[in-house]
Amino acid sequence: MAKKNRKKNDTADLPEGMSRRQAKLAARAAEREALAKDPRPFGGLAMEADLIALQEFVPSAVAQLEVGGVPVNLVTVLPGAGAAMVRPAEDGGERFVALQVGSHSQNPGRDLAYALAWAAGAEPGESLQSTAADGTQPELSSLIDATAQLTIHEHSDFNWWFAEGAQLPPEVRQALGRANEAVMPSTQVKVDAPGSVWWVNPGGGKAHIRWVRPEENENQMLSALARIAARGELTLGEGTKFAGAFRTHGVVVPVWDLDPAVDAQSYAAALSSLNASIEAEYGNAAQLNAEERKQLDNIKSRQVTI
């Protein structure tokens, strides 16, 4: 008798019109959906390219967002690669959310929504170690204005981790010193063109420009670069060389090798001119000729996805 009751109760817990097998399959499908990777996690946001740059290669930078009227500092990295923190009230109570974190899921857009929602409601002195979204997070577009642009403040160190005048234990001061020594010189190149352009000097005799492009179709973007390369025009001027491109978060990021002694902002005019060529060729539906196909193969052979 008890067995029949158990079966009856199990059936009562099922979604209406579903058998136990159907309910189990639906639950597994929901789990797969939750774990599925977003092909373009920051798509639809005007700040998409900047978010990608801050998450993938900018070493030390801060930008401010408003989440439900609450100011939150969006940063590259926090101490210990933590996800988010709120300073103690006596240190100002400022809120911070990091894009480069130690513990995360494969969906950075969902992770960011999770961390922003946490930071907006957290109490002074609290911290969040893992930014991995757990399904409770709202849509990212419901937290921040999709049309908003980021104003990014670059830093040459991580001293902004702590409130001015904060008394740090010796071991924390030492860790801060090691982190500061590892910061690569970098700056955003101001240019009237789509995307986010960054000059980075990792050492070793070469600096780089990395240009996060916002185009929807990655293959069309690579073909546009190949057409320009075939004309010998995929350059930013004397002493520069197109190094290749990488894919990340559904977009293409072309990279150039540069002389580190040349001022980063001096490339603005060349970038603007090259952007006009890219935009013209991006919409070119003609078949690639032999030299263009060769250039496309060359670009693809050196391409990585991160």
Side-chain angles (χ1 to χ4, degrees):
M1 199 65 162
K3 194 171 185 181
K4 287 183 180 178
N5 286 339
R6 255 197 323 271
K7 186 173 182 181
K8 183 177 181 180
N9 290 338
D10 287 349
T11 304
D13 292 337
L14 294 173
E16 187 175 354
M18 276 194 183
S19 67
R20 278 191 294 276
R21 182 174 182 277
Q22 288 171 328
K24 189 178 290 185
L25 290 173
R28 288 176 180 170
E31 288 176 5
R32 286 195 297 271
E33 171 63 23
L35 294 172
K37 187 173 182 179
D38 294 331
R40 195 152 179 174
F42 303 122
L45 299 177
M47 62 180 74
E48 176 188 26
D50 283 334
L51 289 175
I52 292 171
L54 293 175
Q55 184 168 76
E56 294 303 328
F57 54 79
V58 178
S60 180
V62 179
Q64 195 172 81
L65 292 174
E66 279 212 353
V67 181
V70 178
V72 176
N73 293 293
L74 186 64
V75 307
T76 49
V77 66
L78 287 171
M85 70 177 190
V86 184
R87 281 180 180 162
E90 60 270 24
D91 289 337
E94 289 91 349
R95 301 164 191 273
F96 296 84
V97 167
L99 285 162
Q100 300 173 28
V101 298
S103 179
H104 56 85
S105 77
Q106 63 175 351
N107 288 302
R110 301 182 205 182
D111 289 352
L112 179 57
Y114 177 78
L116 287 173
W118 178 91
E123 296 296 326
E126 291 186 332
S127 62
L128 179 70
Q129 192 57 35
S130 173
T131 191
D134 63 1
T136 64
Q137 75 282 350
E139 290 291 327
L140 184 57
S141 58
S142 73
L143 294 173
I144 58 178
D145 179 2
T147 65
Q149 300 280 356
L150 285 182
T151 298
I152 300 172
H153 301 281
E154 306 154 10
H155 294 270
S156 59
D157 54 40
F158 291 111
N159 293 341
W160 53 267
W161 277 352
F162 304 99
E164 190 173 349
Q167 298 300 309
L168 304 179
E171 62 274 16
V172 174
R173 194 171 294 280
Q174 288 177 0
L176 176 61
R178 289 193 296 270
N180 286 344
E181 289 173 1
V183 174
M184 294 185 299
S186 64
T187 188
Q188 189 169 23
V189 182
K190 305 300 182 184
V191 56
D192 184 18
S196 190
V197 186
W198 287 81
W199 177 96
V200 182
N201 184 5
K206 290 180 183 177
H208 307 291
I209 274 181
R210 298 168 179 171
W211 192 351
V212 184
R213 296 289 308 193
E215 280 76 10
E216 292 288 337
N217 190 306
E218 298 174 46
N219 290 325
Q220 279 183 230
M221 181 62 191
L222 294 177
S223 292
L225 295 176
R227 293 180 195 277
I228 298 167
R231 301 197 299 265
E233 297 173 2
L234 194 55
T235 175
L236 298 178
E238 186 178 352
T240 71
K241 179 183 178 183
F242 178 67
F246 61 88
R247 295 182 190 225
T248 185
H249 300 328
V251 301
V252 174
V253 184
V255 180
W256 287 263
D257 291 337
L258 317 163
D259 181 348
V262 177
D263 179 68
Q265 303 304 326
S266 69
Y267 294 104
L271 286 160
S272 181
S273 176
L274 182 56
N275 178 66
S277 297
I278 290 173
E279 291 187 339
E281 294 297 355
Y282 181 77
N284 188 343
Q287 295 240 346
L288 299 178
N289 62 34
E291 180 58 27
E292 291 166 347
R293 287 196 301 273
K294 178 181 175 183
Q295 292 296 331
L296 180 60
D297 290 341
N298 184 42
I299 292 171
K300 287 183 174 180
S301 70
R302 292 179 290 158
Q303 189 181 48
V304 295
T305 300
I306 63 173

